[in-house]
Every structure is written in structure tokens, then in C-alpha cells.
């Protein structure tokens, strides 16, 4: 078995970069089709887009090395590292292409969407920023 086969076998389908038969177009098509089907069912969709271009700079490198078994394979390694994110976020759908990620939720009730965004995303994000700020100032 080639390394690329192993790599593709362990990554979830929502990671579209640096993989055979995946591209920016497949990522955009997946998002467009999913959002359109949700809108067709009368659901509202909230999308949070995140640019993780600097995220690799703050990765715990000892943890990364354990995950990667001391390999130096460039961008594919970042995909391996973020793959776990998809297992931990159950309250939303995720999509990733290189360092651009989308987290999205849908519901027919606007208030429910607002509550979910506030409690599941904004509150933890604010706490993370506060912890980071207090630790490094």
C-alpha cells in the first residue's frame, strides 16, 4: 500500500486539499449543494469561515510529531493534524480546503441558530482568546 492510499483512507471526506480526486472545486460544490438543499427545506444556514494560515505556527509540535511519526511531508501533515477536529465538533458540519475552513449549522428557527452560535462558537472562542491574552501579555 502506498502512503497516499493510507493517507486518503484515514482522512474524512470533508478535507479536500492535497488529495487525489479532491480539489477546491469539489469543496465548493459540496458546500453549495449542502447549503442549497438546506435552504430548499426551509432551513436558515449560518456559516463561520476561518482562515487558519497562521495556525500551523502555533501547533504543539511534540503532539504533531507523535501523530506524524517524524515524517516531513509538508501540507498533507496539516490535514492529518486537523482531521481530528471533525471528530470533536458534532454540533455543526465542517469543510476544509488548505487553510480555509467553514463551520456551518442550519435550522428553521432563527433563535435556535443564534443560541447555537453564541453557546457553541462565540463563547468558547472568547474564552480561548481571553486565556491566550492573559497567558502571553
Amino acid at each position: 500500500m502506498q502512503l497516499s492510499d493510507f493517507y486518503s483512507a484515514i482522512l474524512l471526506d470533508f478535507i479536500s486539499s492535497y488529495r487525489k480526486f479532491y480539489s477546491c472545486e469539489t469543496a465548493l460544490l459540496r458546500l453549495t449543494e449542502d447549503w442549497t438543499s438546506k435552504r430548499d427545506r426551509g432551513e436558515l444556514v449560518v456559516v463561520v469561515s476561518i482562515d487558519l494560515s497562521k495556525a500551523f505556527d502555533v501547533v504543539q509540535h511534540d503532539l504533531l510529531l507523535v501523530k506524524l511519526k517524524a515524517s516531513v511531508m509538508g501540507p498533507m501533515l496539516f490535514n492529518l493534524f486537523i482531521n481530528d477536529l471533525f471528530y470533536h465538533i458534532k454540533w455543526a458540519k465542517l469543510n476544509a480546503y488548505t487553510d480555509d475552513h467553514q463551520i456551518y449549522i442550519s435550522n428553521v428557527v432563527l433563535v435556535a441558530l443564534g443560541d447555537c452560535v453564541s453557546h457553541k462558537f462565540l463563547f468558547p472562542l472568547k474564552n480561548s482568546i481571553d486565556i491566550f491574552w492573559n497567558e502571553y501579555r
Side-chain angles (χ1 to χ4, degrees):
M1 181 195 305
Q2 291 190 357
L3 186 58
S4 61
D5 295 335
F6 171 76
Y7 172 75
S8 289
I10 62 172
L11 287 180
L12 295 171
D13 288 337
F14 305 106
I15 298 177
S16 297
S17 52
Y18 313 112
R19 301 175 70 181
K20 191 175 189 178
F21 304 118
Y22 289 81
S23 66
C24 181
E25 289 84 8
T26 59
L28 290 172
L29 184 60
R30 181 185 319 108
L31 288 172
T32 304
E33 290 296 319
D34 197 24
W35 296 342
T36 301
S37 70
K38 290 177 183 314
R39 293 295 299 141
D40 288 346
R41 291 191 307 265
E43 297 179 32
L44 302 168
V45 179
V46 172
V47 181
V48 177
S49 292
I50 304 167
D51 180 355
L52 296 177
S53 58
K54 291 293 183 181
F56 201 74
D57 296 341
V58 295
V59 165
Q60 295 175 336
H61 294 286
D62 54 338
L63 176 60
L64 182 61
L65 287 175
V66 168
K67 264 184 116 35
L68 307 175
K69 312 237 182 308
S71 180
V72 285
M73 299 200 31
M76 291 189 335
L77 300 180
F78 189 69
N79 280 352
L80 287 172
F81 194 76
I82 64 163
N83 192 55
D84 292 351
L85 179 67
F86 290 83
Y87 291 111
H88 296 289
I89 297 182
K90 303 287 187 201
W91 53 271
K93 293 188 85 174
L94 292 97
N95 186 69
Y97 183 78
T98 63
D99 58 359
D100 297 315
H101 293 66
Q102 294 78 36
I103 301 172
Y104 59 99
I105 55 173
S106 65
N107 199 312
V108 293
V109 180
L110 182 60
V111 174
L113 282 175
D115 288 346
C116 188
V117 169
S118 294
H119 293 95
K120 299 283 190 178
F121 186 75
L122 296 178
F123 181 73
L125 180 63
K126 182 194 178 309
N127 285 345
S128 297
I129 292 170
D130 289 347
I131 290 167
F132 178 80
W133 180 255
N134 289 333
E135 213 172 291
Y136 293 100
R137 66 176 161 169

